[in-house]
Structures are given as structure tokens and as C-alpha cells.
Amino acid sequence: MSDPSHRARIPTSIHPYSAGLVGGLIGGMAMAAFAVAWGLITQGSLWYSVNLLAGTMLTGFAEMTQDELATFSSAGLIVGIIIQACMSIGVGLLYGVMLPMIPRFQWLFALIIVPLMWSGLTWSAISVVDPALGKHINWLWFVASQLVFGLVTGWWILRTEKINTMQNWHYLERLGIDSPGIRNMGDDA
């Protein structure tokens, strides 16, 4: 039987993966609303930010003028929604997995550090992959939208109840094998 007094591996408890999934989706919706509001305020169009996002995957969008990017595109809307949903889910899951490993200042990590790192990564990727598209992006608003995502996603995940990891469980318990002489699932005794 394993020694329950052994040194614990960190984290001893985690957020469920569903918290990262849901948090990412909610954060992605808040971020999208913020980005669309930015397009409406600065360009007078609901579609500008959607088309910019779609332009990361679709050809021809980087060569569009400001006015063309401000018009509705069904392909741009579909691709923009797919990109936003996939990225939000992926980054939300990463938040859910990473936040329990941060010993202190989890809010700072969720709200500031990750959004700034993600913004820098995106800026460097866009400047290499599609510099013409990068000219249309207002990076201050982009960073602000990342901060909105971090705030909402971090808030959702950090408010969910953590579950204990199985690190102190006997290997038979982890396999779900009921064995005489082995303590009950997750017992500390």
C-alpha cells in the first residue's frame, strides 16, 4: 500500500476540465462582443473585426481595403465563428489546467500575464505570416480584447470548485479494482 504521508505533488487539487471548456466559451463570447463593439466604434461596422479574424485563414482578406473589410461576408462570418470557438475552447482548457499550478496571484496570471503573452505571440506570428493583414489590426484594442477574455475566463474557472487529484490513491484504486486490504477510494487513512 502507498504511503499517504509522502510529499504531495502539486497541484493536489484541480479545476474540472469542464470549467476550462465553459470558461473559454464564455470568455470567447465576451471577447467577441468587445471586438465587435470595437469594430462598430472605430470602423462603423459589425463585420470589420470578424473579417479580420477570418482573414487569418482565408486568402484575399489581407488585400481588402478598410471599406471592404467593413462589409458582410458569409464566408468571413462562418470562418470567424469557427476560429473564435476553437481558440476560445483551447485557451480556456489551457487556463483550466494551468491555473491550479500557479501557487499565488492566479488572478494576475489569468488577467494580465497570459493575455499579454498571447498578444505578443499573435503579433509576432501575424507580422511573419501575414504582415498585410497586421496593418489593419489596432493592437491596443487587440490586447484589450485579450484582457477581457482573461478576466472572464479566469473568473469562471477560479470560482469553480476544485476536485482532489488521485496522487495519494493506491494504484489499484486508480484502476478501479476493488481489493481486500486496500483502503476505500481516496481515503487518507
Side-chain angles (χ1 to χ4, degrees):
M1 187 154 67
S2 65
D3 179 16
S5 65
H6 77 280
R7 182 173 177 220
R9 292 180 297 267
I10 304 298
T12 57
S13 59
I14 59 171
H15 298 284
Y17 296 138
S18 61
L21 179 87
V22 173
L25 285 173
I26 293 170
M29 287 188 280
M31 176 191 206
F34 185 83
V36 167
W38 165 77
L40 194 58
I41 292 167
T42 62
Q43 303 297 322
S45 170
L46 293 171
W47 310 113
Y48 188 79
S49 55
V50 175
N51 288 334
L52 277 178
L53 180 59
T56 61
M57 297 298 264
L58 296 176
T59 59
F61 279 67
E63 293 80 29
M64 288 183 173
T65 64
Q66 299 266 64
D67 292 334
E68 290 172 326
L69 284 170
T71 60
F72 174 75
S73 165
S74 57
L77 178 63
I78 292 167
V79 170
I81 289 171
I82 291 170
I83 292 170
Q84 184 68 14
C86 291
M87 294 302 291
S88 296
I89 289 170
V91 176
L93 286 171
L94 285 173
Y95 265 64
V97 170
M98 288 187 330
L99 286 177
M101 291 189 265
I102 306 300
R104 287 185 268 160
F105 309 115
Q106 291 177 334
W107 270 110
L108 178 69
F109 188 79
L111 178 62
I112 305 290
I113 295 171
V114 172
L116 290 179
M117 288 173 44
W118 187 254
S119 296
L121 177 66
T122 303
W123 175 80
S124 63
I126 290 283
S127 64
V128 170
V129 174
D130 201 348
L133 185 66
K135 293 176 188 173
H136 294 290
I137 298 172
N138 181 320
W139 290 102
L140 184 63
W141 277 87
F142 181 84
V143 171
S145 68
Q146 298 298 319
L147 294 172
V148 167
F149 178 86
L151 172 70
V152 174
T153 304
W155 168 79
W156 182 268
I157 292 170
L158 290 173
R159 67 178 271 289
T160 61
E161 188 174 334
K162 288 185 173 183
I163 54 177
N164 291 328
T165 61
M166 298 185 296
Q167 63 181 288
N168 290 331
W169 290 20
H170 191 275
Y171 73 92
L172 293 174
E173 290 177 299
R174 292 180 197 166
L175 294 171
I177 299 172
D178 190 20
S179 181
I182 301 297
R183 58 191 164 84
N184 290 332
M185 294 286 197
D187 264 353
D188 290 330

